[in-house]
Amino acid sequence: MFNFIDWLASTSGSIALRESLYMYPWIESAHVLFITIFFGTLLFVDLRLTGYGFKNLSISQMNAKILPLTLIGFLFMIITGLLLFYALPVRNYQNLFFRIKLFLMLLAGLNAWYFHRTMNRQSKAWDKNSFIPFRMKVSATISLVLWGLVIISGRMIAYNWFDCDKQPQSELVNFLISCTVDPEIYEYLNGI
Amino acid sequence: MESNQLLEIIYLLEDSYIGEYVRGSLWLFPVIQSFHLIGLGILGGAVVIGDFRLLGILMKTETTSYVIRVTKPWFNFGLSILILTGIPLFLSEAVKCYYSRAFWIKISCLLMGTIFVYFIRNPIVLSREENFFMKILGVLSFSIWVVTAASGRWIGFS
């Protein structure tokens, strides 16, 4: 895996992005704007599900009207996010917050999959009775909390507190970021 | 002369207790900034859904005034989080902000956007039937908030 990441970092596109003066900030700003569209529209979908907004619309109407925009936000958020990763592959790959973020995104994805699987089966009944099961409200709330945590951990990627090139780190941190440290370097660091 | 007085105030703000406190902490600045981003997400959702409705892109079956009425409390909530978290962020690096062009663009857009939404967009949309003029309101509001958010992000690059 590391060899692949290392190779990715050596490609000309990655070097160009990394060394660009304006391209990186532009992509980063776009990433933030698409996060806003994604998270903000998801908020209203989940508010409808928990019963706090847009009660004039049925759940399936709300989904049909807002989810396409959420998905567009998601798509561009992922594209800009991949470009940001591509600019600094090694640093992100060995960044603790980046790994936490990916893990949280995986959880959010599983939660979304569970939610939509259930909704596709039951939404007609939800619309008819204007009632949704409690565990679905929990799932909608979990989705917001998880994406909020994704935003927080994403913001933290910028900080190098737990980076591989900042030793000594605890063994746990080095394990979590797949960082192998030459024991001689430890001895050297302990000596100073 | 006048700008020197402003700079003096800026230095006082940077030396304020909150400014010192946030600056002295390793974690506080990024943590506050994360919540600033979440506030931005909440405000962004209210802006996108409200303004896209005005533009006729979303929720065409619902009236413009209904969509603005539902999104309004969340706009207020998002903006409150943004201001409450934005103040300590600003105090911790007031002098840097003073010299940052992005900061002044952001503050100007923030003021314009807030005034526009509370005193122009909302009163018109809430009191009138939908008409073509509302598309212009939607474009203006959406553009101002996009520039506010983007220039806000840009403060970090300068």
Side-chain angles (χ1 to χ4, degrees):
Chain A
M1 187 66 186
F2 186 80
N3 289 337
F4 169 71
I5 300 288
D6 205 32
W7 169 80
L8 207 58
S10 71
T11 57
S12 59
S14 173
I15 295 169
L17 273 179
R18 195 160 53 239
E19 293 182 349
S20 70
L21 191 56
Y22 286 117
M23 208 50 202
Y24 190 84
W26 271 108
I27 298 171
E28 173 95 54
S29 303
H31 191 59
V32 170
L33 288 172
F34 290 121
I35 289 171
T36 305
I37 291 176
F38 168 75
F39 183 79
T41 53
L42 188 72
L43 170 74
F44 281 92
V45 171
D46 286 347
L47 282 172
R48 173 65 195 89
L49 290 164
T50 44
Y52 288 102
F54 286 112
K55 285 192 209 166
N56 277 9
L57 294 154
S58 73
I59 286 167
S60 45
Q61 280 175 323
M62 185 70 186
N63 278 298
K65 283 164 199 285
I66 300 297
L67 271 185
L69 186 59
T70 313
L71 287 176
I72 291 171
F74 182 77
L75 182 69
F76 284 99
M77 179 177 91
I78 295 290
I79 293 172
T80 49
L82 284 173
L83 285 171
L84 292 173
F85 176 83
Y86 181 51
L88 299 161
V90 177
R91 157 117 226 282
N92 283 312
Y93 174 68
Q94 291 195 321
N95 184 285
L96 183 63
F97 295 111
F98 180 78
R99 292 185 171 205
I100 293 174
K101 177 180 170 174
L102 284 194
F103 177 68
L104 290 166
M105 282 176 73
L106 179 72
L107 292 183
L110 287 173
N111 180 55
W113 171 76
Y114 166 73
F115 184 89
H116 284 276
R117 201 183 60 139
T118 319
M119 189 177 69
N120 288 341
R121 285 184 195 152
Q122 302 182 353
S123 66
K124 275 186 187 142
W126 297 355
D127 287 350
K128 207 162 67 189
N129 312 324
S130 53
F131 169 81
I132 111 161
F134 180 70
R135 62 191 159 85
M136 290 295 109
K137 294 188 180 179
V138 173
S139 175
T141 313
I142 287 177
S143 130
L144 279 183
V145 171
L146 281 175
W147 284 111
L149 292 172
V150 168
I151 292 178
I152 295 174
S153 50
R155 179 64 194 86
M156 296 295 176
I157 294 173
Y159 292 86
N160 65 350
W161 306 322
F162 301 112
D163 274 9
C164 189
D165 56 9
K166 211 183 169 195
Q167 298 294 338
Q169 298 283 1
S170 73
E171 274 181 41
L172 177 67
V173 169
N174 278 332
F175 170 73
L176 289 174
I177 61 175
S178 327
C179 179
T180 42
V181 181
D182 188 347
E184 280 180 25
I185 293 178
Y186 265 132
E187 276 170 35
Y188 171 75
L189 284 167
N190 286 335
I192 50 175
Chain B
M1 202 57 209
E2 206 178 297
S3 88
N4 282 344
Q5 274 170 356
L6 179 59
L7 192 55
E8 272 171 36
I9 297 169
I10 295 284
Y11 270 103
L12 279 178
L13 290 172
E14 174 140 336
D15 290 336
S16 65
Y17 177 75
I18 298 174
E20 293 270 5
Y21 194 81
V22 174
R23 219 169 26 252
S25 157
L26 189 64
W27 290 87
L28 218 42
F29 190 85
V31 168
I32 298 173
Q33 217 168 36
S34 301
F35 285 97
H36 197 66
L37 266 176
I38 288 174
L40 186 68
I42 297 171
L43 179 103
V47 166
V48 170
I49 293 179
D51 289 338
F52 278 26
R53 173 61 192 91
L54 294 183
L55 283 165
I57 299 173
L58 282 179
M59 298 192 142
K60 276 177 266 188
T61 51
E62 309 308 306
T63 62
T64 43
S65 62
Y66 173 69
V67 175
I68 293 299
R69 216 168 43 241
V70 177
T71 51
K72 207 175 131 187
W74 297 96
F75 181 93
N76 298 343
F77 182 52
L79 190 61
S80 314
I81 297 179
L82 284 165
I83 292 171
L84 285 176
T85 52
I87 289 171
L89 291 174
F90 164 73
L91 291 175
S92 77
E93 46 174 36
V95 176
K96 176 194 155 179
C97 288
Y98 174 82
Y99 288 109
S100 156
R101 181 176 291 172
F103 173 78
W104 291 109
I105 295 174
K106 179 229 173 94
I107 290 296
S108 317
C109 287
L110 173 67
L111 276 177
M112 281 196 289
T114 309
I115 291 169
F116 186 76
V117 164
Y118 284 111
F119 297 102
I120 300 172
R121 191 193 77 166
N122 290 359
I124 291 176
V125 175
L126 291 173
S127 65
R128 281 178 180 75
E129 292 287 305
E130 185 176 2
N131 58 45
F132 177 77
F133 181 61
M134 285 183 187
K135 285 199 198 316
I136 299 169
L137 296 181
V139 170
L140 285 174
S141 162
F142 187 70
S143 324
I144 296 173
W145 289 109
V146 165
V147 178
T148 310
S151 54
R153 179 62 195 90
W154 213 272
I155 298 171
F157 297 126
S158 46

